[in-house]
């Protein structure tokens, strides 16, 4: 069951949302754009409960409708996202070239042990320290480079465990510096 | 009175010559003429969504089966509402619905009054040819007077539509996709803490199965009252 994260809206955030809603409000399909902007604006790239409630009230959208929309589209996050996002392709090409093993070892290294998670067709997991988010996609459209892994929006083809391990160490150092 | 220019279409349903207004669906015209077409998501007085596919019919000259609840009547149309092919499809759809959640009629509040059970009996379904999924679904009994048992929900969205279109509360909606889809109240909160629900009970009475019911009902005791809906719609149309 999906639960929402609570995070009170600061005044500046309210002003930001007011502006976005004033620009787009009323037009058909506006809700998606408003929610997208709200998520981009949030430093941890997610939609807290208070944000959803505020948007619902200001756009006169039923709460249930908002919840339906943010759980239908995979692009919306309801949990704070990690500082680094590692996205493993679970498409057919990448699967046959070992993406399951990559995913398993990555999840193991970052402390996720639930086999149910590995079996899920779409994964979005966040480490408790807020450093990492693991995701899966159905295909990056780069099958010739399988297995494909995206690290902080950079695409790595022909990924193997050693390279992934090196990337992880690199990210660990960079994140510690910040 | 409707204006005299109303466009009337004449068509054949199961060999009978019938007519309907151009905005009417095959299902509506069939119903007016006492022809039974099975349905689960459609309901008089609510918008049509074509979600359950129970109402599939054959139309002469078309290979595809079309859902009667969202297909408008057309001039010269020849519709067949019952055939072996249709029965097979309908049976399959129902069997899949039965396997998807946990429909244990013998302990259900709606036993004997359930629309899905009634259709299954009518189609002579005695057992199911697909493996059951046995999902663990929740039961939310947080509301003062009503309960939702997701184990018996078939995602017809009648509750969503009646609450939005007739009650104006829009407490319900659907979350997730495919096999993960579920009805929710507000921001996926317990129904009892919903700020939008007025407690009118409309959703409970349109629900075709035992998914929504009144507290205090035991096995087979949940009789649903549907008459309010056509009545409300009629009164509203007259006032317009
Ligand atoms: S009881 Fe009425 S207001 Fe409450 S959820 Fe059902 S239809 Fe909506
Ligand atoms: S709760 Fe009842 S009315 Fe609502 S979608 Fe499920 S089966 Fe349909
Ligand atoms: S299957 Fe991985 S990029 Fe296509
Ligand atoms: S009654 Fe037509 S699709 Fe459900």
């Amino acid at each position: 069951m999906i639960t929402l994260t609570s995070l009170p809206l600061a005044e500046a955030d309210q002003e930001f949302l007011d502006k976005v809603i004033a620009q787009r409000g009323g037009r058909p399909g506006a809700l998606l754009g408003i929610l997208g902007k709200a998520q981009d604006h949030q430093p941890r790239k997610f939609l807290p409960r208070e944000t959803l409630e505020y948007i619902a009230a200001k756009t006169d959208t039923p709460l249930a409708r908002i919840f339906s929309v943010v759980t239908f589209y995979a692009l919306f996050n309801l949990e704070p996202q990690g500082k680094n996002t590692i996205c493993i392709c679970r498409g057919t090409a990448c699967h046959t070239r070992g993406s399951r093993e990559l995913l398993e070892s990555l999840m193991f290294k970052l402390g996720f042990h639930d086999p149910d998670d590995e079996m899920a067709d779409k994964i979005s997991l966040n480490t408790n320290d807020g450093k990492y988010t693991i995701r899966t996609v159905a295909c990056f459209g780069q099958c010739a480079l399988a297995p494909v892994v995206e690290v902080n929006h950079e695409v790595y083809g022909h990924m193997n465990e050693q390279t992934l391990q090196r990337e992880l160490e690199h990210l660990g150092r960079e994140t510690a510096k910040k | 009175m409707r204006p005299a220019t109303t466009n009337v279409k004449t068509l054949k349903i199961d060999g009978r010559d019938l007519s309907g207004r151009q905005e009417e669906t095959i299902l509506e015209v069939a119903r007016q003429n006492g022809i039974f077409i099975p349905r689960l998501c459609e309901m008089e007085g609510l918008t049509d969504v074509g979600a359950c596919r129970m109402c599939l019919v054959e139309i002469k000259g078309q290979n595809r089966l079309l859902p009667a609840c969202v297909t408008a009547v057309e001039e010269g149309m020849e519709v067949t509402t019952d055939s072996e092919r249709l029965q097979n499809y309908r049976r399959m759809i129902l069997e899949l619905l039965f396997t998807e959640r946990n429909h244990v009629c013998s302990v259900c509040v709606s036993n004997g009054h359930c629309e899905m059970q009634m259709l299954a009996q009518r189609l002579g379904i005695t057992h199911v040819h697909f493996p059951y999924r046995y999902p663990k679904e929740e039961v939310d009994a947080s509301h003062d007077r009503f309960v939702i048992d997701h184990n018996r929900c078939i995602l017809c969205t009648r509750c969503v539509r009646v609450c939005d279109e007739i009650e104006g509360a829009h407490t319900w909606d659907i979350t997730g996709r495919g096999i993960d889809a579920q009805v929710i109240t507000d921001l996926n909160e317990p129904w009892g803490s919903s700020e939008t629900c007025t407690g009118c009970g409309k959703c409970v009475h349109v629900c075709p199965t035992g998914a929504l019911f009144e507290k205090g009902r035991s096995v087979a005791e949940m009789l649903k009252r549907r008459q309010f809906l056509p009545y409300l719609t009629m009164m509203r149309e007259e006032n317009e």
Side-chain angles (χ1 to χ4, degrees):
Chain A
M1 188 161 133
I2 305 160
T3 41
L4 295 172
T5 314
S6 179
L7 189 73
L9 259 188
E11 216 165 291
D13 299 334
Q14 286 192 5
E15 278 165 24
F16 173 82
L17 291 177
D18 287 343
K19 233 188 276 158
V20 172
I21 293 166
Q23 272 165 17
R24 305 173 168 247
R27 273 187 278 150
L31 186 59
L32 275 184
I34 295 168
L35 290 166
K37 285 265 182 226
Q39 174 166 299
D40 281 346
H41 179 71
Q42 217 295 324
R44 300 289 300 276
K45 307 294 171 214
F46 80 112
L47 293 165
R49 163 188 298 274
E50 287 77 0
T51 304
L52 297 181
E53 284 170 347
Y54 191 77
I55 295 174
K58 288 284 162 164
T59 59
D60 218 356
T61 311
L63 292 168
R65 183 88 220 123
I66 296 249
F67 195 83
S68 175
V69 169
V70 296
T71 55
F72 185 86
Y73 295 98
L75 75 114
F76 294 120
N77 306 317
L78 298 177
E79 278 178 22
Q81 298 298 292
K83 294 196 181 84
N84 302 292
T85 303
I86 305 172
C87 187
I88 299 197
C89 178
R90 293 290 293 122
T92 319
C94 293
H95 177 79
T96 53
R97 312 211 62 189
S99 74
R100 138 114 344 136
E101 288 73 23
L102 284 177
L103 177 65
E104 279 172 2
S105 83
L106 181 66
M107 283 175 58
F108 186 75
K109 280 178 193 145
L110 294 182
F112 296 104
H113 301 291
D114 188 351
D116 274 356
D117 282 337
E118 281 162 37
M119 297 310 289
D121 34 289
K122 212 197 89 207
I123 291 179
S124 175
L125 295 168
N126 300 298
T127 56
N128 288 334
D129 59 9
K131 283 188 184 153
Y132 299 99
T133 297
I134 307 179
R135 288 168 168 276
T136 54
V137 287
C139 177
F140 276 119
Q142 310 267 5
C143 309
L145 302 178
V148 178
V149 174
E150 199 188 63
V151 181
N152 291 338
H153 301 295
E154 247 182 87
V155 174
Y156 292 75
H158 305 305
M159 185 56 108
N160 57 35
E161 280 205 32
Q162 289 79 351
T163 318
L164 193 56
Q165 174 62 30
R166 226 181 35 230
E167 259 327 294
L168 215 52
E169 285 164 12
H170 174 72
L171 290 178
R173 281 195 301 275
E174 290 293 305
T175 316
K177 266 192 238 161
K178 276 179 209 162
Chain B
M1 276 300 286
R2 307 232 161 222
T5 51
T6 303
N7 212 334
V8 175
K9 307 281 181 190
T10 53
L11 70 159
K12 266 192 168 60
I13 302 184
D14 293 343
R16 284 171 58 189
D17 288 308
L18 303 170
S19 63
R21 293 195 310 274
Q22 64 173 352
E23 71 277 9
E24 282 181 312
T25 64
I26 299 172
L27 185 56
E28 284 171 310
V29 174
R31 179 155 51 218
Q32 289 154 20
N33 291 284
I35 298 170
F36 173 79
I37 300 178
R39 54 99 194 242
L40 280 172
C41 64
E42 190 267 359
M43 177 151 242
E44 308 92 298
L46 301 181
T47 52
D48 296 317
V49 288
C52 73
R53 293 326 212 206
M54 273 310 291
C55 66
L56 289 174
V57 291
E58 290 172 4
I59 290 166
K60 196 173 172 189
Q62 289 214 38
N63 225 336
R64 248 168 7 120
L65 301 175
L66 290 174
C69 70
V70 286
T71 308
V73 290
E74 271 169 42
E75 187 62 36
M77 217 177 208
E78 290 184 34
V79 182
T80 308
T81 68
D82 204 2
S83 69
E84 193 154 331
R85 180 176 172 216
L86 288 172
Q87 294 226 355
N88 284 337
Y89 271 105
R90 289 171 186 162
R91 237 181 253 135
M92 185 164 78
I93 294 165
L94 270 182
E95 288 187 22
L96 288 170
L97 282 176
F98 276 109
T99 59
E100 203 168 297
R101 302 245 170 134
N102 304 303
H103 295 276
V104 189
C105 303
S106 56
V107 295
C108 180
V109 284
S110 286
N111 192 3
H113 320 291
C114 168
E115 287 186 44
M116 183 155 84
Q117 186 187 45
M118 181 206 84
L119 288 180
Q121 280 165 351
R122 216 178 154 126
L123 285 165
I125 295 179
T126 51
H127 59 288
V128 164
H129 300 81
F130 306 100
Y132 284 93
R133 287 186 64 249
Y134 302 117
K136 288 198 191 77
E137 301 289 346
E138 284 177 37
V139 179
D140 177 358
S142 60
H143 196 282
D144 288 347
R145 289 160 44 220
F146 313 125
V147 182
I148 166 118
D149 182 347
H150 293 281
N151 292 288
R152 303 174 185 145
C153 172
I154 57 168
L155 298 171
C156 69
T157 74
R158 279 189 194 174
C159 55
V160 178
R161 285 173 283 150
V162 82
C163 185
D164 175 45
E165 296 166 13
I166 309 294
E167 182 59 9
H170 202 127
T171 301
W172 295 101
D173 214 305
I174 301 269
T175 182
R177 277 187 280 182
I179 204 74
D180 298 322
Q182 229 192 3
V183 288
I184 42 136
T185 40
D186 290 350
L187 291 176
N188 198 18
E189 279 140 315
W191 191 1
S193 58
S194 164
E195 284 169 23
T196 57
C197 174
T198 64
C200 70
K202 291 189 176 65
C203 53
V204 173
H205 286 278
V206 297
C207 176
T209 69
L212 285 167
F213 59 96
E214 289 169 353
K215 280 195 173 165
R217 303 280 171 185
S218 179
V219 174
E221 286 183 356
M222 186 63 223
L223 276 163
K224 302 210 170 174
R225 285 172 278 112
R226 302 275 157 73
Q227 305 86 315
F228 75 90
L229 199 56
Y231 174 74
L232 269 183
T233 323
M234 192 183 76
M235 293 308 279
R236 285 188 190 179
E237 274 171 9
E238 273 182 13
N239 282 335
E240 263 165 23

